[in-house]
Amino acid sequence: MKLEQAAKQLEALGNPTRLNLYRALVRAGEAGRPVGYLQETLGIAASTLSHHLHRLILTGLVTQERQATTLICRANYPVMNELLGFLADECCVDAACGPASSEAAA
Amino acid sequence: MKLEQAAKQLEALGNPTRLNLYRALVRAGEAGRPVGYLQETLGIAASTLSHHLHRLILTGLVTQERQATTLICRANYPVMNELLGFLADECCVDAACGPASSEAAA
DNA sequence: GCGCTATTTCCAGGATTCTCGAAATATTAG
DNA sequence: CTAATATTTCGAGAATCCTGGAAATAGCGC
């Protein structure tokens, strides 16, 4: 069920700490960020960060890659785009919802 | 603080019942839906629905309008678009993230 | 005002979340 | 193998959320 998955991803982003964390990764782009760097930047306990990170990874919003003892985290752009698509999906089936939509003639 | 607000909205959408509810309103468009209709459609207790609805209204994602004894609920499209914008906002500052972005020349 | 329908508020129990420190694990360096 | 660093897992307390039933409120028609 797609809705469940979308809800989980939204819930994962619906916590200030995690949203902040996620945005840091989004900003970092392809380069990604090591866990330790994120921990210092966000100023939270390592265990707390690990907990949140785990959640983002479970929902597919973030990926990790090992580099020696350091773990590099990256935002998973395709998953985010899919989520954005899901939200905008059924928008406008019966009403105009703004300028962001497709090229359907007025 | 914008991040707090975005997190609250995402959290509001990050519950299957609420996401379902919200999508029903998105699908309904301008017409909106009466609370009672939503309650039957979703098959949940009136108090539960009221609770979730209240939350969506607090975050600004949903609006209500009274029509006699019936309350019509509508999705607030501008707010949703703002939220989508916030998510896509800092995307790609350092990496390509897909086709959904703006018209900035490459 | 009275009754009627639509909706919300109050209350409570059970589940989940958030946060952290301490201990455990993983990987590399020597 | 031992030491050192990076990260996760464990345990726990406080807070919040989710759900529904019962009672209260809001607006309408008579």
Side-chain angles (χ1 to χ4, degrees), chain B residues 3-25:
Chain B
L3 183 132
E4 293 283 339
Q5 173 72 359
K8 279 212 174 73
Q9 292 176 347
L10 289 166
E11 186 192 28
L13 294 175
N15 171 276
T17 302
R18 273 194 306 263
L19 184 54
N20 208 12
L21 161 59
Y22 182 71
R23 292 200 102 209
L25 292 179

Side-chain angles (χ1 to χ4, degrees), chain A residues 21 24-25 33-44 49 53 71 73:
Chain A
L21 160 58
L25 292 178
R33 293 282 186 244
V35 177
Y37 173 89
L38 291 167
Q39 195 224 317
E40 285 188 15
T41 300
L42 301 179
I44 58 179
L49 174 59
L53 221 32
L71 275 172
C73 307

Side-chain angles (χ1 to χ4, degrees), chain B residues 62-105:
Chain B
V62 166
T63 62
Q64 277 183 333
E65 180 201 348
R66 179 131 238 156
Q67 263 178 27
T69 60
T70 301
L71 273 172
I72 307 294
C73 307
R74 291 196 185 84
N76 194 347
Y77 296 107
V79 170
M80 181 173 82
N81 279 329
E82 208 178 327
L83 177 59
L84 294 182
F86 178 82
L87 282 181
D89 193 10
E90 316 234 19
C91 187
C92 315
V93 299
D94 195 30
C97 69
S101 55
S102 55
E103 71 278 5

Side-chain angles (χ1 to χ4, degrees), chain B residues 3-63:
Chain B
L3 183 132
E4 293 283 339
Q5 173 72 359
K8 279 212 174 73
Q9 292 176 347
L10 289 166
E11 186 192 28
L13 294 175
N15 171 276
T17 302
R18 273 194 306 263
L19 184 54
N20 208 12
L21 161 59
Y22 182 71
R23 292 200 102 209
L25 292 179
V26 166
R27 245 177 272 121
E30 275 298 314
R33 293 283 185 245
V35 176
Y37 172 88
L38 292 168
Q39 195 224 318
E40 285 188 15
T41 300
L42 301 179
I44 58 181
S47 56
T48 302
L49 173 60
S50 184
H51 169 70
H52 286 310
L53 220 32
H54 184 62
R55 246 176 111 134
L56 288 171
I57 290 167
L58 277 186
T59 63
L61 285 163
V62 166
T63 62

Side-chain angles (χ1 to χ4, degrees), chain A residues 15 17-18 47-48 51-52 55 66 69:
Chain A
N15 171 276
T17 302
R18 275 196 303 265
S47 55
T48 302
H51 170 67
H52 286 311
R55 244 176 113 137
R66 178 133 238 152
T69 60

